[in-house]
Amino acid sequence: MEILNSAREFLLGFVMVVMAIILILALIRAIIGPRFTDRIVAINMIGTEVIIIICVLAYLIGEQYLVDVALVYAMISFLAVVVMVNLYLTVYREKTLKSKEEAEILSHEHGIEVGREEYERRQKASMKAEGKEGTQ
Amino acid sequence: MIGEWIRFIIAAVLLLFGLFVEVRAILGVYRMNYVMNRMQVAAMGDTMGLMCILVGLMILSGFTIMTAKMIMILLFFWLASPVSSHMIAEIEIVTNPKADQEFEVTKP
């Protein structure tokens, strides 16, 4: 029984230490990442690792009510990603599209709404590709 | 007494495998180049790593209320994670200025 208890504690402690190291590495990724979507992906990963750490700690201490905290944390991190993405998309569309009719026309042809310069750049790129294939 | 040992060994194997998957996920995020590739590797850690570690903890603690709460956490996270991945992909396609070099966007 002694061996079993100490082995269990050692295993769970080891899991927690490695999870903490992974969490710091993911935080460094959130600081470095060149685009802002890199940062959103890293924050998502941090949320998952925090859930794991809380659940292992709840089993190690013996207090069963700490698992509720992990459930609430999962819900809030999901909500944070949804709110951030919607906010950024709304601001981006308002800044780059000039009127509502233009937005409808662009979304009809392209399928998703992009800004005017982006749309013209992609048209040029696709026409260049078609021109090359036509001559070959 | 043997039952306790068998339970501990099965849970230990599951916990260590889940840990290995998570280490692999964070290494993948560092080695990949673009956001779309990183998102795929991170999703691997979110689904498989979480499942293996939580199932190992469920086996260790038996039939208590903690097991039921962990099942709820797992179900909620599996339903919510693909939605957030889809939203991140959508905003990446719309706002990336170098979209043609990194991935293909096919017209619907």
Side-chain angles (χ1 to χ4, degrees), chain A residues 1 8 19 25 28-29 35 37-38 40 44 48 52 59 64 68 75 78 88 112-113 121-122, chain B residues 1 22 29-30 35 38 46 50 60 65-66 69 76-77 80 84 88 91-95 97 99:
Chain A
M1 285 309 124
R8 203 184 314 180
M19 272 297 149
L25 284 178
I28 292 180
R29 182 82 243 167
R35 279 185 60 75
T37 32
D38 281 325
I40 299 181
N44 235 354
T48 306
I52 292 177
Y59 179 75
Q64 289 188 352
D68 306 342
M75 292 183 182
F78 167 63
Y88 195 90
I112 42 177
E113 297 177 20
R121 200 186 61 81
R122 286 184 190 177
Chain B
M1 167 111 158
E22 289 278 347
V29 166
Y30 267 88
V35 176
R38 282 178 191 150
D46 276 353
L50 196 65
L60 265 185
I65 196 83
M66 205 159 124
K69 285 181 190 167
F76 172 76
F77 211 78
S84 55
I88 298 176
I91 197 174
E92 169 70 17
I93 285 181
V94 168
T95 61

Side-chain angles (χ1 to χ4, degrees), chain B residues 15-25:
Chain B
L15 273 174
L16 288 176
F17 184 66
L19 201 63
F20 172 70
V21 169
E22 289 278 347
V23 166
R24 222 32 217 139

Side-chain angles (χ1 to χ4, degrees), chain A residues 3-90:
Chain A
I3 305 180
L4 193 60
N5 280 340
S6 61
R8 203 184 314 180
E9 279 182 15
F10 179 70
L11 175 73
L12 291 174
F14 176 67
V15 166
M16 272 174 67
V17 165
V18 174
M19 272 297 149
I21 294 178
I22 290 179
L23 202 146
I24 292 180
L25 284 178
L27 190 64
I28 292 180
R29 182 82 243 167
I31 294 175
I32 286 181
R35 279 185 60 75
F36 77 99
T37 32
D38 281 325
R39 300 185 172 118
I40 299 181
V41 167
I43 298 291
N44 235 354
M45 269 192 89
I46 289 181
T48 306
E49 283 143 22
V50 165
I51 294 175
I52 292 177
I53 291 182
I54 291 180
C55 286
V56 170
L57 185 74
Y59 179 75
L60 202 57
I61 292 185
E63 310 279 359
Q64 289 188 352
Y65 56 85
L66 289 178
V67 183
D68 306 342
V69 177
L71 185 59
V72 172
Y73 195 88
M75 292 183 182
I76 286 188
S77 88
F78 167 63
L79 187 67
V81 168
V82 168
V83 165
M84 226 176 347
V85 166
N86 270 334
L87 187 66
Y88 195 90
L89 219 48
T90 311

Side-chain angles (χ1 to χ4, degrees), chain B residues 16-68:
Chain B
L16 288 176
F17 184 66
L19 201 63
F20 172 70
V21 169
E22 289 278 347
V23 166
R24 222 32 217 139
I26 189 69
L27 275 182
V29 166
Y30 267 88
R31 270 179 68 92
M32 294 287 176
N33 287 327
Y34 305 125
V35 176
M36 292 300 207
N37 304 342
R38 282 178 191 150
M39 209 170 61
Q40 180 179 7
V41 182
M44 168 181 87
D46 276 353
T47 46
M48 181 100 166
L50 196 65
M51 179 191 93
C52 285
I53 292 187
L54 282 187
V55 166
L57 277 179
M58 281 196 254
I59 288 180
L60 265 185
S61 66
F63 279 116
T64 63
I65 196 83
M66 205 159 124
T67 308

Side-chain angles (χ1 to χ4, degrees), chain A residues 80-136:
Chain A
V81 168
V82 168
V83 165
M84 226 176 347
V85 166
N86 270 334
L87 187 66
Y88 195 90
L89 219 48
T90 311
V91 169
Y92 183 82
R93 280 183 192 152
E94 269 183 21
K95 262 205 216 170
T96 56
L97 295 178
K98 307 245 169 75
S99 65
K100 277 231 157 151
E101 296 162 346
E102 223 181 77
E104 282 178 24
I105 294 174
L106 285 179
S107 77
H108 225 339
E109 292 184 27
H110 201 76
I112 42 177
E113 297 177 20
V114 295
R116 180 118 208 116
E117 302 156 0
E118 182 72 23
Y119 178 65
E120 281 169 358
R121 200 186 61 81
R122 286 184 190 177
Q123 282 287 78
K124 273 191 220 160
S126 74
M127 293 225 289
K128 242 198 227 171
E130 279 172 24
K132 274 190 189 163
E133 285 171 12
T135 54
Q136 281 177 1

